Every structure is written in structure tokens, then in C-alpha cells.
Amino acid sequence: MSEATPRPVLPPDVVALVPMRNVVLFPHVLLPIAVGRPKSVAALMHALAAEAPLGIVLQKDAGVDDPGAEALCEVGTLAQVLQHAAAQPDRHQAVCQGLQRFRLIELVPGYPFLAGRIERIPESAPLTPRLEALDLQLRERAVELVALLPGVPAELAHGLQAARTPWQLGDVVAGLLDIEIVEKQRLLETVQPADRLQQVLALVNRRIEVLRLSQEIGERTKEKIDDRQREYLLREQLKTIQHELGEDKGDDADIVQLEQRIATAGMNAETEAHARKELARLKRLSEGSGEQALLRNYLDWLVELPWGPPAESPIDLAAARAVLDADHHGLARVKQRILEYLAVQKLNPAGRAPILCFVGPPGVGKTSLGQSIARALGRPFVRVSLGGVHDEAEIRGHRRTYIGALPGNIVQGLRKAASRGCVMMLDEVDKLGAGAHGDPSAALLEVLDPEQNASFRDNYLGLPFDLSRVVFIATANVIEQVPGPVRDRMEVIELPGYTEEEKLQIAQTYLVPRQRAQCGLQPAQCSLAPDALRALVTHYTREAGVRQLEREIGRLMRHAAMQVAQDAQARLEVDAAGLAAILGPAPFEREGAARVSLPGVATGLAWTPAGGDILFIEATRTLGKGRLILTGQLGEVMKESAQAALTLVKARFESLGIDAGAFEEADVHVHVPAGAIPKDGPSAGVAMFVALASLFTGRPVRHDLAMTGEISLRGLVLPVGGIKEKLLAAQRAGVGGVLLPARNEKDLYDVPASVTEGLRIVWLHGVDNAIAAALAPVVPTLPVRETVS
């Protein structure tokens, strides 16, 4: 403090305060503190200059730099500054001696430091028998605590015994404890000595138990290490004694068993020679060494793999067809391909197994179809999930030099199947990812290549393994997400989805009996009427597969199970009218049928990974300067389709009967609802053109029509993909007709007749066909006849 600035004089009940972030000072305790904030430094310097006590008080929130009265604890400690040192201008060190508790009443403004009006809390209390007993017990336990604490000088125990009063002893021991700062503040605020000593004694007892347990754990760990060293020495001595007696043959039971398993594993000459070489090295390793355990694990993998040729089973095409038909409804193309493979296998048993890839939306039965194929072939089935795999080692395995190395998923699956002729399903092959540890899809090339998989080499095994007899079946939702080289090695079979009639057949034949059996019901206890199943398909689900349909049937069965569990005589017969009482209101409705014919609104057909769907193209115009506004999270391809559609409408303004100035005086806004869902693709070109033509001509689009197709600036309608999925979506939405590119007529070959029977299909060669089919005809305006009176 400079000489020009007079030292402030504080009233007797006001002291300078130093708020501490994480320090609690108890009376009768010496404690070093660090002070750095300007106000705290000023308070410290004032206490030194005035030789006055300093108030040490804890902050409630350590993150507050300039605390007010509400940020300070109510009880603090008056302290005398015994030593002071300034390591830096803004960093001061002080050693303080706690004197007495005080209660903070209020902060007093007008000083260059925090100053507070306080009420001193007296320390004296009558010495009761309970207080004397607590004092005696705490002295004994405190000495025991000091003996267990590491690095504590012996003089501290004498200091504890020198404490004169029980409350002084309680404060000294509380300052010694390593406890949370909140618990220390609670002890400081406990004014009654007996209550404070009781709390301190409980904390000391708990701390002693923790220290004792830690000490026991340390001694036990040391004993284990000593026992391990002793065991190693005894084993070495045992080996020496056996060597002197000529008994060190090395043919223990494990080694003999490994030799026998190597001999009967069916390995080829190269693999068997390698295994015996590793076995000889195992014999030379000392028991208990880390390398011995790794080598033993490696040999266990070698002898457990199916090296020998798979067992040949007689092929019965009729039985295989019966298995496939019993497990799955429809899917004629898939079943035909499996039967063709069986026929070839029957004529040429040494032929290669097929590598198939089932592509389709979720819930169409890709994984369960693989299980049925294994049943039809009479082979074991194993599934390898590839979704989210981003490490090449998951396919090829880790090298044995790494700790915790294992073979890849392919070899692990073969070990699980215990056969080299199993059916292995590579599930979700389109969801492989590449990372810093390599590209697993590149490692999959060797697995799926018929020219290479006869000598597949796993990094862990380090030996060639023949995969040519394995029937690989991959599954994917989107074939475009499968890398091209991997896709080129597989025979792709599409499972686009089920029609409404197919879903009804699947529900009646498979889903209802399965869910009824899972709920423990008999057929007489719960039955679903055909109209209830149809309502489930049309109004409670909207999917390409049947996964959600099975969930809804399961909800009905659980409802019936609850009634039967309460009343054994209960019977539940569910019809369409009773679904709402059990499942709630129907979440889906016929969207297409609910739309009315409006100018500028067209219904499009889209393909998604979950199957086909309908989308609505909405166009409107406002006063402006001819801009095109696009909303609805449209991708780049879809934006270009909208621009091409608008350009095509402008180019044909005369044939459409549109005023040429209409384009320059208005802004056109095209929106595709469900704006939270990203959309992209060229197949909305026809729908956008029809919507814009309807907008400018004022002729509404027929609401019972849906359309798809890509357009060119010459007015041609180009073919698109996903025709079957889009037709299924049109059927689910209840539209009466669809407009399709004429060059997609060949794609109707795979569409069931039950889908096309209820739809009027118009084939489009150009956009003129779309205008003629989709827009309402122009209503001629009759001349007004004037009447002359």
C-alpha cells in the first residue's frame, strides 16, 4: 500500500475477508494459503499492516471470480497471518493460524477489499461425560489414523495429544482428514462440540477402514508376486530333477492330445507340417510363459477348423423344393436358382458353390431365406454380420504379433459351423465402411472370388484355406452402396417387396401361427378374421416387407394372452372393426385417394431403400421476376430435373396455350412435402413437368394418377428403375392409374398380375402423352348471347 493512501480503519465487528475456492481453515490449525485476486491480496496486506485477524471463508461456487454475499458460505474462520511471502506481484503465499469461528452477517461496501460484518462464535461448552468419552475415543482413533497415513511425521501424534479441549482436538483432526470440501465446511458449521466430535469420529473410523483395506490389498498383491516367483523356481528345480532321473519325456497329456488332433484334423501336407513344427516349438517353451499361451491358442485354432472335405449328402430336389415352399411364400426366382444349383451339384459334385446377393428393403426375408437354403441343402448355417465393420482385420484376421490377435470373421464362422461346406450369410454387405485400418470390402474380394477363395489366407492362420465349397449368400438394402468390384463377384437377386395379397398369404401361413405359438396360445383361443389381416396390411403398416406387420400381429396376440391368463375360458376373435380398440387408430390412410384435383399438384412415384413410396409435387406462382424456388430438401439431380421441367414448359408455351409473358412476371415455387427427408433422383421429372404445366395452364391434374419418369429437353420420357417397387407403392396408396416410361414396359415381367390388374397403366413416349393423360381437358367457353329489348 503506498504512503499516499491512508490505511482504512475497520470497526471492531468488521474484518477483511479472503474468499477461498477449495480451502476450509479450522480453528487451532496451521494452513498455508495462496492469494492471487486483487481484492484478496488487498485484504491480506491490510491484515498484515493493521496486525488484525483475517477472515477466511469458503466460496459456494469455485468458478466465481468476484463473489458476493450470496456466493459465500455463512460460517468462516478468523485467522492470524504468521508468515507472508510474495513470489510474484500477483501471487502471495501466507501461513495462517485458525483462531475462532465467525458467522458472516453482511458485506460492508466502501473498502478496496471484501469486508464483512461478523458475529464471533464462542468455543467454550460444559464438559459433559459424553463429551469426555468422545474426546477419549477420538484421541485413540486419531493416533491410529496417523500411524496408517503414509509420510506423516511422528511429531503429529504428539501434537494431537497436546490438544487441551475436546473441541480443539476435533478441529485439529478435522483439518487432518482427506475428505470432500463440502464435508469439511459442514464440520466447520457444526457449532455444538459434541455433535462435531461425533461426526469427526465417524469420518476417522471410515478413513481407517479404507487405509487398512488398501494396506491388505497391497500385501496380498506382494504375496501373489512372491508366490509366482517361488512357483517358477520350483518348476525349474523339478525340471532339473526330472532331467537327472531321465524322466523328462515332455509327453504330457495336453501335448499328446494336440498331436492326436493334428493327425485327425484332415489337414493337407503343408498345413500339417506347419502345425507339427509349431507343436515342437511349444514343447521347448517353459510352462507359464506368455509365448507358450499364445502358441497353444494358435494350435487350438488350427485343430478345430474343418480342414477336411465336407460330408456328401444325397440331393433330393423334391424335398428341397418342399422346404423352400414351407418357409417362404412366393420368391419363385430365388427358389428356382437354388434348385438349379442343387441340380448342378447332383450332376457335378465337385462344382463350385454359388455366390448370391439378395437385395431388397428391410423385412422381405433375406436373412431367413438364407436359413431356409441351408435347410434345403442339408448344411449348417452361419451368419456373419458386416454392418459397421471398418477394419480389414475383421475379414482377414489379425497378425499373431499383436496382443489379443484372432482370426477374421470368415474363419471364426467356419469354426462355428464345423464344416467347410456350410452356408455362410454375409449380412448387410452394403454397410461396410473404410477406416484407418484398411478397407474391409477390398479384403472381401478374395473371399467372394471363385478363382481365389480356394486358397484364402487369413493373417492369423498364415496358411491357405479352401473356401470353394462354402455357399456364400450376401444381403444388402441398396445395391448401389456395394463397391463395384464386390458387386461384380456376386449374382444379384432382387427381392423388391411383397404385394398386398402376398402379405395376406404370408400372415395367414407364417406370421399368425408363429406369433400365436410364441405367446403360448392355441388356435381356438385367438383367431384373426381375413378382413382384420387386410386392415392390418393396408391401414396399420406401410412397408415393402412384413416386419412391422408381424409386430402388429404380435400385439394382438399379447392382448389375447393377457385375457386368457386372467380367464382360461376366454376366446378372442378379432375383426377389422375391433382393431382400433386394441391397436389404436390406424396410422395410415390412402393418401392418393384423399387428394383432390388442383392445378399445380401432381403425384409422383419414388424408390427408397425401404421400398416404393409416393410423393407430391406442389407448384405455385407469385408476383416476381421469373425465379425458380425449390424447397423440400431436394438433391442436385432433383433440382436439375425441376429446372429442365420449367425450361420444357417455357419451350412449349404455344402448344400448351400459355401467355409468353406469364413466365417473366411471376416467381415459380416448387415444393416437395416431408421437408425433413432428403430427396434425390431423376425419376420425378415427369411429375414436375406435369405440375408446372398444370400451374400455368390452370388445368388440374387428375388426383387418381401417379407418375414417374425422367425427361429430356427434347420432350422425351426416359426409363427409370424400381418399377415394381413404385407400382406396389401405387397399389398401397390406392391410386387408379400410373404413367410410366414406354421403355420400362419390359420391367412388368417381374410384377405380379395382382398388382397390375387394378391399375390403368399409360405408357409415355414423350411429355405430350403425359399432358394428354394427366391434365383435365380444356372446357370450351361458350359465347354470351346478348338479348336486345
Side-chain angles (χ1 to χ4, degrees):
M1 214 175 271
S2 63
E3 295 179 0
T5 303
R7 186 176 69 246
V9 178
L10 300 179
D13 60 342
V14 177
V15 297
L17 299 177
V18 174
M20 305 303 294
R21 299 181 190 272
N22 54 5
V23 172
V24 173
L25 175 64
F26 288 89
H28 317 293
V29 174
L30 279 173
L31 186 67
I33 63 172
V35 178
R37 288 178 282 191
K39 288 186 177 181
S40 298
V41 172
L44 176 63
M45 301 309 294
H46 170 80
L48 288 170
E51 297 183 355
L54 186 66
I56 306 296
V57 63
L58 179 68
Q59 293 182 205
K60 296 178 181 178
D61 185 2
V64 179
D65 288 329
D66 189 12
E70 70 284 351
L72 299 177
C73 292
E74 184 181 359
V75 177
T77 303
L78 290 176
Q80 179 182 359
V81 181
L82 301 181
Q83 294 182 7
H84 167 259
Q88 298 176 1
D90 58 345
R91 193 70 177 174
H92 292 249
Q93 305 286 340
V95 177
C96 298
Q97 169 77 51
L99 300 177
Q100 187 181 6
R101 287 175 172 78
F102 68 86
R103 181 172 283 105
L104 180 62
I105 299 175
E106 63 179 355
L107 293 182
V108 180
Y111 298 97
F113 46 80
L114 277 181
R117 180 167 286 106
I118 65 169
E119 176 189 357
R120 299 172 184 261
I121 301 175
E123 291 288 346
S124 60
L127 198 61
T128 62
R130 177 170 177 264
L131 195 58
E132 290 182 355
L134 288 172
D135 176 76
L136 180 60
Q137 184 70 17
L138 183 57
R139 288 180 189 274
E140 295 176 357
R141 301 295 282 175
V143 172
E144 187 176 355
L145 174 64
V146 171
L148 291 173
L149 288 174
V152 175
E155 292 79 9
L156 185 58
H158 300 293
L160 292 173
Q161 297 296 338
R164 297 179 179 178
T165 61
W167 45 88
Q168 182 178 353
L169 176 66
D171 288 335
V172 173
V173 176
L176 181 63
L177 290 174
D178 183 16
I179 57 176
E180 293 290 335
I181 197 69
V182 177
E183 291 183 340
K184 285 193 174 185
Q185 180 64 29
R186 187 168 64 248
L187 291 176
L188 185 67
E189 293 176 356
T190 305
V191 178
Q192 293 297 327
D195 296 339
R196 185 162 69 247
L197 261 67
Q198 186 71 49
Q199 296 179 22
V200 172
L201 183 59
L203 292 171
V204 168
N205 288 333
R206 186 178 67 180
R207 186 62 180 167
I208 288 174
E209 293 299 323
V210 172
L211 291 173
R212 281 179 176 171
L213 183 58
S214 176
Q215 190 175 19
E216 290 177 4
I217 293 173
E219 292 175 356
R220 199 177 307 152
T221 305
K222 183 179 178 182
E223 289 176 0
K224 286 184 178 180
I225 295 175
D226 293 340
D227 290 343
R228 192 173 301 168
Q229 293 174 347
R230 178 173 172 272
E231 181 181 355
Y232 173 76
L233 292 176
L234 289 175
R235 287 188 182 277
E236 291 299 320
Q237 292 175 4
L238 179 61
K239 288 182 180 180
T240 304
I241 294 173
Q242 289 177 342
H243 178 71
E244 293 296 332
L245 295 175
E247 298 176 355
D248 54 340
K249 302 296 183 182
D251 295 336
D252 56 11
D254 291 342
I255 298 296
V256 172
Q257 184 182 12
L258 273 176
E259 284 184 334
Q260 294 174 352
R261 295 175 69 184
I262 290 174
T264 59
M267 303 177 181
N268 54 42
E270 177 188 355
T271 303
E272 185 172 351
H274 176 77
R276 293 192 179 279
K277 179 181 177 181
E278 294 294 324
L279 182 61
R281 192 160 69 93
L282 178 65
K283 294 177 182 179
R284 296 192 298 268
L285 294 175
S286 61
E287 190 173 351
S289 66
E291 188 178 1
Q292 191 258 2
L294 295 177
L295 187 55
R296 176 60 189 270
N297 187 45
Y298 173 71
L299 289 173
D300 285 339
W301 272 101
L302 283 184
V303 298
E304 290 178 4
L305 288 177
W307 295 96
E312 300 294 341
S313 56
I315 297 177
D316 188 345
L317 294 178
R321 185 188 298 274
V323 170
L324 294 174
D325 290 338
D327 290 348
H328 287 82
H329 177 80
L331 304 178
R333 182 182 173 188
V334 181
K335 296 176 181 178
Q336 182 66 23
R337 180 64 184 88
I338 298 303
L339 293 175
E340 290 172 355
Y341 163 69
L342 288 177
V344 174
Q345 189 75 11
K346 186 174 183 178
L347 300 178
N348 180 18
R352 291 172 176 167
I355 300 175
L356 307 178
C357 180
F358 297 153
V359 178
V364 296
K366 299 185 295 295
T367 303
S368 61
L369 187 58
Q371 297 173 343
S372 299
I373 291 172
R375 285 185 55 209
L377 297 177
R379 299 187 179 190
F381 175 80
V382 63
R383 175 178 171 270
V384 176
S385 179
L386 299 180
V389 172
H390 59 276
D391 189 352
E392 179 186 354
E394 296 288 338
I395 306 297
R396 289 188 186 275
H398 302 81
R399 300 188 185 278
R400 281 196 289 156
T401 54
Y402 295 105
I403 297 176
L406 283 174
N409 289 332
I410 304 299
V411 173
Q412 291 186 34
L414 290 171
R415 180 192 184 185
K416 181 180 178 181
S419 172
R420 195 157 55 86
C422 64
V423 176
M424 181 174 291
M425 172 156 283
L426 305 177
D427 217 359
E428 309 291 354
V429 72
D430 58 331
K431 297 175 179 59
L432 285 170
H437 300 288
D439 187 357
S441 63
L444 205 59
L445 296 178
E446 185 181 1
V447 176
L448 299 179
D449 193 336
E451 302 296 333
Q452 301 181 44
N453 63 9
S455 58
F456 171 71
R457 185 177 292 270
D458 186 275
N459 289 331
Y460 181 79
L461 299 181
L463 295 166
F465 194 94
D466 187 3
L467 301 178
S468 61
R469 304 297 297 275
V470 179
V471 179
F472 287 106
I473 299 176
T475 68
N477 295 130
V478 184
I479 191 61
E480 287 76 12
Q481 294 180 3
V482 179
V486 176
R487 186 166 64 244
D488 182 61
R489 284 162 171 79
M490 300 184 296
E491 181 181 347
V492 178
I493 299 178
E494 294 186 357
L495 306 177
Y498 297 111
T499 65
E500 185 174 310
E501 295 301 324
E502 287 174 337
K503 290 182 179 180
L504 290 175
Q505 292 295 329
I506 292 171
Q508 292 173 349
T509 309
Y510 306 104
L511 305 184
V512 172
R514 182 163 62 196
Q515 288 297 321
R516 184 188 289 129
Q518 289 182 1
C519 293
L521 297 172
Q522 300 298 324
Q525 293 175 328
C526 180
S527 60
L528 301 182
D531 63 335
L533 288 177
R534 187 173 295 275
L536 282 177
V537 172
T538 56
H539 298 302
Y540 283 86
T541 63
R542 180 158 296 175
E543 56 179 346
V546 292
R547 191 170 292 167
Q548 183 61 29
L549 177 60
E550 186 170 9
R551 294 193 191 103
E552 298 297 334
I553 294 175
R555 290 178 60 188
L556 294 175
M557 294 300 171
R558 291 192 296 272
H559 178 80
M562 186 173 64
Q563 293 189 356
V564 172
Q566 294 173 350
D567 181 7
Q569 304 300 322
R571 299 291 184 269
L572 181 65
E573 296 181 0
V574 182
D575 56 8
L579 288 178
I582 302 174
L583 303 180
F588 301 107
E589 61 181 8
R590 300 285 192 177
E591 290 186 60
R595 289 285 177 143
V596 296
S597 300
L598 293 174
V601 179
T603 304
L605 295 172
W607 179 91
T608 70
D613 201 357
I614 64 170
L615 53 84
F616 298 99
I617 311 294
E618 300 178 349
T620 187
R621 57 180 176 174
T622 59
L623 293 177
K625 300 181 180 179
R627 295 181 304 161
L628 176 62
I629 304 170
L630 302 173
T631 56
Q633 279 214 59
L634 307 185
E636 292 299 324
V637 177
M638 209 164 181
K639 291 179 180 179
E640 293 176 358
S641 296
Q643 186 64 58
L646 181 60
T647 301
L648 194 57
V649 171
K650 290 180 179 179
R652 295 173 176 256
F653 74 95
E654 291 183 352
S655 61
L656 293 174
I658 303 173
D659 183 11
F663 300 104
E664 300 178 356
E665 300 171 355
D667 289 343
V668 178
H669 188 166
V670 177
H671 177 68
V672 182
I677 302 174
K679 312 169 190 69
D680 203 3
S683 60
V686 170
M688 288 186 170
F689 172 79
V690 170
L692 292 173
S694 169
L695 175 68
F696 282 99
T697 59
R699 298 163 59 186
V701 183
R702 294 181 54 181
H703 70 276
D704 59 343
L705 283 180
M707 59 202 73
T708 184
E710 183 180 359
I711 61 173
S712 71
L713 292 180
R714 294 180 295 166
L716 300 177
V717 177
L718 305 179
V720 293
I723 294 299
K724 181 178 179 181
E725 292 89 341
K726 293 174 181 178
L727 290 177
L728 290 174
Q731 183 192 46
R732 289 194 299 267
V735 298
V738 293
L739 309 184
L740 300 177
R743 291 164 63 180
N744 280 118
E745 190 171 0
K746 61 183 183 301
D747 295 319
L748 287 188
Y749 176 78
D750 293 328
V751 180
S754 60
V755 177
T756 57
E757 283 177 357
L759 293 175
R760 181 173 63 89
I761 300 178
V762 179
W763 299 107
L764 305 178
H765 295 275
V767 294
D768 294 333
N769 305 127
I771 293 296
L775 297 188
V778 178
V779 179
T781 303
L782 298 177
V784 180
R785 180 177 298 175
E786 297 182 359
T787 302
V788 180
S789 57

